[in-house]
Structure formats: C-alpha cells, structure tokens
Amino acid sequence: PAAPAGPAGAITLREALAAARRANPDLAAARLRVDSAGAERRTARALPDPTASVVPNVPTQLQLTEPLDVTPVRWFRTRAARLGQDAARWDAADADRQVAFAVRQAFYDALLAQALRDVAATRRDALRQLLAADSARLRAGDVPERAVARSELELARADAALARAAVDVHAARLTLGQTVGLARPDTGLAAAGVLAFRPVDVDTAGLTPAAVRDARADVRGAAVRVGQARAGLATARAALLPTPALTYVAERHQAFDNGRFYQFGVGFQLPFGSLFSGDRRRARDGVAEAQVLADRAEHQAAADVAGALDQYRASRALAERYAGGLLAKADAGVETARYAYRAGAASQLEVLDALRTAADTRADYLQAVHDYWVGVFALERAAGRDLAGASADDVPAAPLLPPPARPDP
C-alpha cells in the first residue's frame, strides 16, 4: 500500500491510526500472509492433473491416468488449509492490535517530548529574565557579582536542557513516523494536541478470563492452530488408505477384444514403499506444540491483563494527585519567591529553587499523565477490546489545566 508522503504539519491520533492501518509494514505483511494462506487453500482444493503417456513401439496407443482425489485425505487436507487461512486472519487482527497500541504509545511519547520541551523553554525564559534582573541590580550595587555568575550558570544549564529536549522531540517524532508508516523520516511530524489528564471510565466487565479469551486475537488464533495441526495429523493417517486412479487407453488402428478402440481401467496407489510413519510422528508433535502455544497464549493474556490493570490504577492515582493541586502549589511558590526576591525578602537561591521545583513538578505531572494514557491503551491491548470508548483517541487541543506561569517581563 502507498505510504503517506510525510505531512509537514501536525497529525491527530485518529489520523495516525488511520495512516498506520494503511501503510504500517507489520500490517502490510500480515495482510500478505492472509493472501498467501488463501492461495494455499486454493492449492489444497485443486484436483490433480492427469498423466498422458504413449506405449513404446505402439505409437498409435494413448494412455491417460487420472488419480481420483476422493479419499478422506482431500477432506482433511482442505480442512487444514481452511483453518490455516482462518489462523492467518486472526494473526492479522492481532497485528492490528499491537500496531494500534504502538501508534498510541508513540503518539503520546511525542506529546510528552513536546510538553517537556515547553517546560524546559519556560524555565530557560525565567532564568534569562532573572539574569537580566540580577545584572541590573549588580550595576546598582544591590547584589554581589557571584549572584550574577550563579544566574549565568543556571541559564547555561537550562539552555543545555532545552537542547536535549529538542533532540528528544525529534527522536519521538521519527519513531511516530516510523510506526505510522511514513515513506521518509520526518522530524516535522508533530503530534496534534496537548498532554492533559482526563478521567475515562474503563469497562472492567471485559476483563474476565472468558471475555479476554473471546476478544484476544492471538488466543483465538492459537486455538485455530491447534485445529489445523489436528487436521494435519488426520491427513497423515488417512494417507495410509489406497488412492484410486482411473486409466483410459485409446487405440487408433486395432480394436481391443471387446471390439472397441478404447478401454478403461482402475488402479490403486498402495503405500508399500512408505507407511508415512515420519509424517504421522511429525504431525503428532505439531499437535502437541500447537497445544503448548495455545496454553501459553492464554496464560500470557491473563498475565497481561493483571499487569496492565495494576499499571493503570497506579498511574491514574498519581496523575489525579498531581492534577488535584500540586501543580498550582508549585506555580504559586514561584510567584511568591519572585515577589519576595523583588522586595528583598528572599535570596536568589530561593528563587532558583522555586523555579527548579516548579519545572520538576510539571515534568513529573506530564510523565504521570503520559503513563496514565499509555496505561489505558495497554489495558485495552491486554483485554483485546475497546474498554474506554472511542473518546480515548480524542486528544484535547487545549490544556485542561492552566499553563505554566510565564516570567514577568
């Protein structure tokens, strides 16, 4: 499928999911495997070709032999091919489940990187304002020279942090473009929206073991593989039955004893040379292996649900705590320290500490919100179905909380 050329602007989460379902290489490979399984099924259903031969020294005699594919081998062979196509379809559905989670995680990684870059830029701007104020106060003789040197050092660190944040933004955007399936790397592929906490109601009724078994494509596909392996074993056992073949012989110049110039015959292909013991043993081992993989897939699904549910609950509690007032307290601490510093009631170190605390608090909040949304999507991936509703893919375009305080001019 044709990959998008690489939009220069921003992309929403829904657009990213739609583009990935069109151009993601993993999904493209899964669809090709489904098509290949369909071709194998058509091959299994095809009738054998007749064999034409001419008897030596009798050039006027023609013989045609057609194997009669009417034994149980044909039924089991076509059943195994049909189950193989069904399993390939389940594998494609599982690939869609994994790719959808990868796109959502990459999208929120890009949102987090962009938000952390904004936090670093805000802190850098505040330190630049502080350095300008300290320089003016140094010329007036209000602060010692070491205060200006400390402001310059903090500003240099903030510039370095901002540069590293910009690199992280480019790396996150490249990962997002690769996951979406862009034909060329594009560091301008921004994630549209803001990283903000928004509580969603998760349908925990879909987390029961029976519901997970019915919804997980990998579990369903592994169960179909067991049926395919059993059909293969039945095919190997049915190969011991003789295969009939119809023979037609035609003579142009001399009639047979019955007065006709043609004759029919019936033959059988007897498995005397090979009893297919190796095929039957390999098929039995294939059934056992498929059963082991099916059990492992079911156990893995249960473990995924338990782990994702714990992660979701912990990340949601932490994000709610930050959104419940910690950010406002940190921003208020910056304003208080800045006002006290202008009034001469606070030291420069107190202002720097307040700025650092506010930046760290907002960065921790953004990381908590990122982990919360990734936890929601991880829970849906573990359950194999939509638990939070389609609104979970609607990323808000405006922040739900007040932005970080900008420094006074």
Side-chain angles (χ1 to χ4, degrees):
I11 186 173
T12 64
L13 180 54
R14 290 185 179 275
E15 293 171 345
L17 289 170
R21 289 190 168 100
R22 291 192 305 268
N24 183 272
D26 294 334
L27 288 179
R31 286 190 288 264
L32 290 175
R33 286 192 293 268
V34 172
D35 186 71
S36 177
E40 291 180 4
R41 183 180 180 183
R42 289 192 296 271
T43 301
R45 295 167 57 185
L47 295 174
D49 295 326
T51 301
S53 60
V54 177
V55 180
N57 298 325
V58 188
T60 60
Q61 190 175 96
L62 175 65
Q63 178 175 332
L64 294 177
T65 302
E66 172 66 20
L68 299 179
D69 192 11
V70 295
T71 62
V73 173
R74 175 180 176 81
W75 190 85
F76 290 121
R77 184 182 70 241
T78 55
R79 174 179 171 82
R82 177 177 59 81
L83 291 176
Q85 186 179 20
D86 294 340
R89 291 194 180 101
W90 284 116
D91 292 343
D94 187 62
D96 181 83
R97 177 179 69 96
Q98 299 288 356
V99 168
F101 173 76
V103 169
R104 287 166 171 153
Q105 185 178 27
F107 185 88
Y108 272 89
D109 288 346
L111 280 182
L112 176 62
Q114 293 168 183
L116 291 178
R117 181 192 58 185
D118 294 340
V119 171
T122 300
R123 184 168 182 266
R124 191 274 312 270
D125 293 342
L127 290 173
R128 181 177 294 173
Q129 300 276 345
L130 181 63
L131 177 59
D134 288 342
S135 300
R137 296 180 67 178
L138 175 63
R139 289 191 295 269
D142 294 338
V143 296
E145 186 175 355
R146 64 176 180 273
V148 178
R150 179 62 184 269
S151 298
E152 290 177 348
L153 177 61
E154 292 294 334
L155 179 59
R157 291 175 177 174
D159 286 334
L162 181 58
R164 289 192 298 267
V167 173
D168 293 339
V169 169
H170 287 174
R173 288 178 176 179
L174 290 175
T175 302
L176 177 60
Q178 183 179 8
T179 307
V180 168
L182 292 185
R184 297 181 300 274
D186 185 8
T187 57
L189 181 65
V194 295
L195 194 60
F197 175 74
R198 176 167 51 92
V200 295
D201 295 328
V202 174
D203 182 17
T204 56
L207 299 179
T208 61
V212 172
R213 283 195 303 269
D214 293 338
R216 283 277 292 247
D218 56 339
V219 177
R220 299 287 297 274
V224 174
R225 295 285 184 194
V226 175
Q228 181 188 13
R230 290 173 178 170
L233 176 59
T235 303
R237 289 172 176 172
L240 293 173
L241 298 176
T243 302
L246 179 64
T247 302
Y248 170 80
V249 181
E251 175 66 50
R252 295 181 59 185
H253 299 295
Q254 184 176 358
F256 290 99
D257 294 340
N258 57 5
R260 293 192 294 259
F261 287 90
Y262 63 89
Q263 194 67 272
F264 291 97
V266 178
F268 293 91
Q269 181 181 1
L270 300 178
F272 287 160
S274 172
L275 296 178
F276 304 104
S277 59
D279 295 339
R280 285 184 280 116
R281 181 174 181 179
R282 181 178 59 185
R284 285 194 299 269
D285 294 340
V287 172
E289 180 185 2
Q291 188 62 54
V292 169
L293 295 178
D295 294 339
R296 187 182 69 176
E298 189 170 341
H299 296 160
Q300 184 64 45
D304 290 345
V305 169
L309 186 59
D310 289 342
Q311 179 185 358
Y312 162 74
R313 288 172 176 169
S315 59
R316 173 164 181 163
L318 184 60
E320 288 177 342
R321 185 175 180 183
Y322 275 106
L326 289 179
L327 284 178
K329 291 179 181 179
D331 291 338
V334 172
E335 295 303 322
T336 301
R338 184 181 291 123
Y339 177 80
Y341 183 65
R342 287 196 299 262
S347 65
Q348 180 196 44
L349 294 179
E350 291 176 326
V351 177
L352 293 176
D353 183 67
L355 290 173
R356 186 182 302 108
T357 301
D360 293 343
T361 302
R362 186 162 291 274
D364 292 342
Y365 161 74
L366 294 171
Q367 184 67 53
V369 173
H370 167 272
D371 295 343
Y372 162 71
W373 284 111
V374 173
V376 171
F377 298 133
L379 189 59
E380 290 187 342
R381 178 184 63 168
R385 57 187 295 268
D386 185 9
L387 298 175
S391 61
D393 292 333
D394 294 330
V395 182
L400 303 179
L401 293 172
R406 284 284 179 176
D408 295 334

